[in-house]
Amino acid sequence: MSTQLDSVTTRDAADVKPATATTTRATLSRGASITWLAALAWLGSAALTQWWPAADDWPYTRQYLVIKLVLAALAVAVGVAGWRSRAGEDGKAGDARAAQHNVKPQARVDAWVHAMPWLLALAVGITAWEVLTAQLEWLPRPFFAPPQALIGVYAEDYSRLGSSVAHSFGLLAYGYVLGAATGFIVGVSIGWSKAVGYWVHPVLRLIGPLPATAWLPLAFFFFPSSFSASVFLIALATAFPVAVLTWSGVASVNTAYYDIARTLGARPGFLILRVAIPAALPSVFVGLFMGLGASFSVLIVAEMMGVKAGLGWYLQWAQGWAAYANMYAALFVMALMCSGLITLLFRVRDRLLGWQKGLLKW
Amino acid sequence: MVAVPEVLARSDSGRALRGGARIDVRRVCHQFALRGATLPVLQDIHFAVEPGEFVALLGPSGCGKSTLLRLVAGLDKPTQGTLHADGAEITGPDPSRVVVFQDPTLYPWRTVRGNVGVGPEAQRRRRGWRRDALHDQTQDRIDAVLQLVGLSEFADAFPHQLSGGMAQRVALARALVNDPALLVLDEPFGKLDSLTRIRMQGELARLWQGAGFSVLLVTHDVEEALLLADRVIVLSERPARIVAEVRNDAPYPRHRDDPKLVALRREVLAQLGLDT
């Protein structure tokens, strides 16, 4: 059996090898030219900022210039590293052991080269943004802020922005963990016990689809603080998808899994913890993902409506002062936070569900 | 396949090496309720499996053989009649009577070793054994069983990395690690390719001869039944009745082209109404 497997894999590898070698060579040379283009683009962008003055005097233009030069230097560094690794590869073409030894740094350089088209696109996009807002002022102020202004926000208002992130994160963590745990337990109970299903399922069907934000006025009235009200709302928004998908996961477990475990001497506790829950886990993670998305939206709304801290509040506050640059800066931070949390969730899932084939990539 | 390792031959319950459970199936009738109507599946089934005996239940597809196995395993209760294991009535599943189904049904989230260890793990909780007390011994047993089915090198593989035959060996190992008194096999080789099936039939016969357990095998393959079993019980179409019992005392290892087996095969086929 193993010999059969081996022969298949070696044949595949032999078929594939020459093809990949040539394609890597081709992508590498194209990657190199894009890398040098990116360096040139950032240098050009810096020159533009230096010698084409903005219509208005924007602070932090000097720092902005420095960042551009750093990015240009980064592109140059990647270009040099790529050129050196390729030269090394050609030199030691016959020496398989040396090539193997170099595999890791080689992969790292390749990853950087792979990111270079994005660096180039960013140079073009940010320069266009700067020219339209700062130099030409074609876009109406103060609704559109130039890139320098965002740097200004991060440099001057970082403490308020930072504490807003901390507040948002704390609120979200409380609500999400509470909601995910509740949803998971409810889902497992409905999926496992007919009696619980009989009583809880209709309630879930009636209350679940209601947007959590609809409870907002009532929640702020019933709960002692706006913080606890928001925790409740976020938990509610999270719990519904988690409960439904956990339930569906538990309900669709192959009944033969239970038969096998029972003939091997398993009791109900083992059947729930060691059979039903692991089997339902892929579905549970879909629920956790959807719940996380729902919790973001409730978090921001709750902070805009009642809580006096957090990124939602920051947006509201910036709007009150017509500080649009602050809004863009806060939105960018918010995007990083939400994306980072979803990435984290997927990392946890990949670790727990490594046994599964064909996972959705994030 | 090697000689049965000592770890496996030594029995925890002190059962004699050439032991195995005695199973009595007494006047069992069973029916399913289907949309208000009742569908009789088993009709007055009465037979016994002697300790250490290998009995095959042979019958056409869908005749209710698998239902009978579920009753013996204790997964379902008969509508009428009783089943006994060593004199005690069967009221639920027990790890002394382990089932191997047609599909290996491994837990995809456990490695091969984890799958084989399901039985000891589930029973440890049941009997309240301390976690570390029998841990090493259990691991040794798992290793021995994996060696027995020839999968030592795949102990850390996940089920989706295995071929059908390997997965079915893991299922067999998962049953054997419990030191069963009765092995209940529900067409265990039905989905394997014919070469793997022939090899695994030989391995099963050797396993059964080496260790002390009774076997109840359900199959629709006449050749398989005659090749493996001491006694073949022939069942009719649904609702299943016992049509005939054929005793086969040919010595092991048996060969498919043994004239005695060929004669028995003709006899069994005649009983099934397939005389050619």
Side-chain angles (χ1 to χ4, degrees), chain A residues 1 257 259 263-264 274 355, chain B residues 70 107 121 123 125 160:
Chain A
M1 244 157 270
Y257 288 168
D259 287 344
T263 63
L264 293 173
R274 296 299 166 100
W355 50 269
Chain B
R70 289 183 65 86
Y107 299 122
E121 203 179 309
Q123 293 156 41
R125 275 145 205 276
H160 71 80

Side-chain angles (χ1 to χ4, degrees), chain B residues 11-135:
Chain B
S11 159
D12 291 342
S13 53
R15 192 157 46 77
L17 191 66
R18 194 60 255 180
R22 181 191 160 84
I23 301 293
D24 291 288
V25 178
R26 293 185 188 155
R27 308 241 156 267
V28 162
C29 298
H30 196 68
Q31 54 201 34
F32 289 134
L34 267 181
R35 291 191 215 94
T38 53
L39 179 71
V41 190
L42 301 175
Q43 207 175 336
D44 202 23
I45 304 288
H46 190 96
F47 68 92
V49 180
E50 300 297 330
E53 196 182 15
F54 197 133
V55 175
L57 293 169
L58 180 71
S61 275
C63 78
K65 308 178 296 267
S66 297
T67 308
L68 184 53
L69 277 203
R70 289 183 65 86
L71 299 180
V72 172
L75 290 167
D76 293 324
K77 288 203 172 62
T79 318
Q80 269 177 48
T82 53
L83 296 102
H84 301 261
D86 290 330
E89 189 168 345
I90 295 173
T91 54
D94 189 276
S96 67
R97 300 185 305 272
V98 194
V99 190
V100 177
F101 291 101
Q102 184 174 11
D103 289 309
T105 341
L106 304 177
Y107 299 122
W109 57 89
R110 285 172 173 257
T111 59
V112 165
R113 172 184 292 281
N115 268 288
V116 175
V118 164
E121 203 179 309
Q123 293 156 41
R124 180 173 58 210
R125 275 145 205 276
R126 163 179 278 188
R127 294 178 195 168
W129 290 350
R130 254 170 298 145
R131 192 165 257 279
D132 45 12
L134 279 149
H135 192 71

